[in-house]
Amino acid sequence: MKFTILVFILCVASLVLARPMTVEDMWAMKRIGDVQLSPDGKWLAYSIKEYDMQKNSGKTDIWLLPANGGEPRQMTFHEKSSSSPRWKPDGSGFAFLSARAGLSQIFYLSLKGGEAQQLTDFPVDVESFIWSPNGEKFALTATVFADASSLQESAERDKEKTESAVQAKIIDNLLFRSWDRWTDGKHTHVFVCQADGSNPVDVTPGKFDSPPLDLGGHQDFVFSPDGKKIAFTSNRSDMPAANTNNDVLFVSADGRDPVNVTASNQAVDNQPIFLPDGEYMIYKAMARPVFEADQYEIILFNIKSGASESLTESFDLSPDEIIASPDGKTLYFNTKEKGRSTIYSLEIKSKKITKRVAENVNSKLSISPDGRTLYFTKQSNVMPDEIFALNLKKESIRQLSFV
């Protein structure tokens, strides 16, 4: 009887202490963003965004966390945000984006310490970037006027339009607006430059968006393992707003010899991923043209022969993020499933698909260099995103971050 009364009192007390979530609670939560595993598998670089209701603003910084768990360490402290960490291939440090110099540019921070070093100084914003496999170059995206002869000319034309007393828009083609922003006659292009920011070359010229404005993948431009070519996603039709014909194209790293490798499919193709041997590429594809909500399949493409085959024709869900194991024999992907985002593995040779993580919403996948540990973020209705690790052999999951 006494035990029953005690339980009742504790339950009543917990109800009294409980309260509904407030707006202040929501904005007090820190948000984990991009998560990147170091090349040696020892560190996780990730961004955390914090909000200040009084200032009505948010700020993002980059943190480091030991990949086997431990104490996190804040790496950036500037008053301007720092985001999108990307490890240098030799693991000596990471590059990131920040507008601390005015426009969004690429900075580099060594693990040895010291101040971040600005690598690019372009007259336009750098929107996203990746390292070349040897760490000597960057591929990056910027929004420019397609007929401008240089980044400087594009920036000057943009400034002239912004400062003009006439702000009327003459619209004679689609797509003139994408969600919450006007395109203003500009297009997103992929550029390749040296790692010190010199010699930028537009490798996707023309009045096309590369990556596309809509129906793109999580990463739509990648270097081949030897760094000699770039695979990217773009819609090269006369009127992209009237179709879903995004394609995967190859171009040399200096911008020569572009070729459309998915021209036979009039529906969506995106998110190219080279397998480690450089002989095959993975990408996602839909089958029905113009149907934006069609199911994705994972396609295996033989780069030498041009042959392709679906690896998921018997799978009744749409793969989302996809990564490859270090040996190139297995893929890991997440997919929306019954209100969750679950994680599966796919053995390329046998096409065997196995569910690895069944509960909650899981994303931002990466895998250790030895192929034994899968890292990802997990969120639920009682927990914002945190970083977790899955031991693929033992099938045990461990929480690493406690933001």
Side-chain angles (χ1 to χ4, degrees):
M1 183 66 179
K2 290 181 179 180
F3 176 76
T4 303
I5 294 174
L6 178 60
V7 171
F8 175 76
I9 292 173
L10 291 174
C11 290
V12 171
S14 64
L15 289 173
V16 172
L17 292 173
R19 60 175 177 80
M21 178 181 287
T22 65
V23 172
E24 288 77 11
D25 293 330
M26 184 179 71
W27 291 114
M29 293 181 188
K30 300 176 182 180
R31 271 85 160 168
I32 289 181
D34 207 348
V35 181
Q36 298 286 321
L37 181 66
S38 63
D40 61 9
K42 294 180 179 180
W43 297 97
L44 290 158
Y46 60 102
S47 62
I48 293 182
K49 188 163 189 175
E50 300 182 61
Y51 293 91
D52 188 322
M53 289 190 66
Q54 299 303 316
K55 296 180 180 179
N56 193 29
S57 64
K59 180 175 176 290
T60 303
D61 278 302
I62 297 171
W63 292 65
L64 276 188
L65 177 70
N68 59 359
E71 192 68 25
R73 176 160 51 116
Q74 186 172 346
M75 299 298 290
T76 60
F77 298 87
H78 199 275
E79 62 181 10
K80 294 289 187 178
S81 288
S82 304
S83 62
S84 304
R86 295 292 181 270
W87 288 95
K88 190 174 182 179
D90 66 7
S92 61
F94 58 85
F96 61 94
L97 292 179
S98 180
R100 59 184 65 183
L103 297 172
S104 175
Q105 299 295 321
I106 302 174
F107 289 75
Y108 178 75
L109 188 60
S110 171
L111 292 187
K112 294 180 180 178
E115 294 296 320
Q117 174 189 1
Q118 184 173 346
L119 299 181
T120 62
D121 188 18
F122 301 136
V124 298
D125 285 316
V126 176
E127 296 165 0
S128 61
F129 74 98
I130 56 173
W131 290 90
S132 65
N134 62 9
E136 295 179 358
K137 296 180 180 180
F138 289 120
L140 58 94
T141 59
T143 301
V144 296
F145 289 100
D147 56 351
S149 61
S150 65
L151 291 173
Q152 185 62 42
E153 181 186 336
S154 187
E156 290 172 355
R157 286 172 57 179
D158 207 24
K159 181 180 179 182
E160 182 180 341
K161 291 183 68 172
T162 301
E163 296 177 351
S164 173
V166 179
Q167 291 297 311
K169 299 179 186 293
I170 299 176
I171 298 169
D172 56 8
N173 70 314
L174 298 174
L175 189 64
F176 58 85
R177 185 176 172 86
S178 176
W179 295 100
D180 61 348
R181 70 178 180 90
W182 298 95
T183 61
D184 291 326
K186 296 187 290 185
H187 295 275
T188 302
H189 284 185
V190 179
F191 293 80
V192 173
C193 69
Q194 299 300 311
D196 61 2
S198 63
N199 302 322
V201 176
D202 186 349
V203 299
T204 62
K207 293 187 176 181
F208 311 103
D209 286 287
S210 310
L213 290 175
D214 196 18
L215 297 174
H218 287 272
Q219 179 66 43
D220 277 314
F221 61 102
V222 292
F223 278 101
S224 59
D226 62 8
K228 293 182 179 180
K229 67 166 65 80
I230 291 174
F232 67 96
T233 306
S234 185
N235 188 320
R236 296 299 169 111
S237 65
D238 293 334
M239 188 178 291
N243 62 70
T244 62
N245 192 20
N246 290 349
D247 281 308
V248 175
L249 297 91
F250 288 163
V251 67
S252 65
D254 58 6
R256 294 180 294 107
D257 307 321
V259 57
N260 187 341
V261 299
T262 61
S264 61
N265 182 28
Q266 300 301 302
V268 176
D269 303 291
N270 62 29
Q271 202 167 308
I273 303 168
F274 286 99
L275 294 185
D277 62 9
E279 297 181 2
Y280 290 88
M281 177 183 70
I282 297 292
Y283 64 92
K284 296 194 310 184
M286 294 182 181
R288 287 180 282 183
V290 192
F291 185 40
E292 296 185 3
D294 197 13
Q295 179 174 313
Y296 276 115
E297 292 189 21
I298 298 176
I299 307 298
L300 177 67
F301 179 78
N302 185 310
I303 295 173
K304 185 176 181 178
S305 69
S308 62
E309 63 172 316
S310 173
L311 300 178
T312 55
E313 69 271 15
S314 62
F315 188 67
D316 194 30
L317 296 168
S318 276
D320 188 15
E321 301 173 50
I322 308 170
I323 61 170
S325 62
D327 62 9
K329 296 180 179 180
T330 305
L331 302 178
Y332 296 90
F333 64 90
N334 62 352
T335 180
K336 294 178 176 61
E337 182 177 12
K338 298 179 180 179
R340 297 169 173 82
S341 181
T342 52
I343 299 176
Y344 286 82
S345 62
L346 165 61
E347 296 175 16
I348 293 177
K349 188 174 182 179
S350 66
K351 298 185 182 181
K352 179 182 177 182
I353 297 176
T354 305
K355 184 178 288 189
R356 295 292 189 164
V357 182
E359 297 299 325
N360 308 127
V361 176
N362 308 283
S363 60
K364 303 179 180 68
L365 314 182
S366 58
I367 191 166
S368 61
D370 61 10
R372 297 176 180 177
T373 306
L374 187 70
Y375 298 93
F376 56 95
T377 61
K378 176 190 287 287
Q379 65 169 286
S380 70
N381 57 356
V382 296
M383 180 188 68
D385 266 332
E386 295 286 1
I387 302 172
F388 285 74
L390 167 65
N391 184 307
L392 292 167
K393 184 176 182 179
K394 298 179 180 179
E395 298 185 345
S396 59
I397 298 176
R398 186 163 61 101
Q399 184 173 345
L400 300 180
S401 73
F402 298 86
V403 174

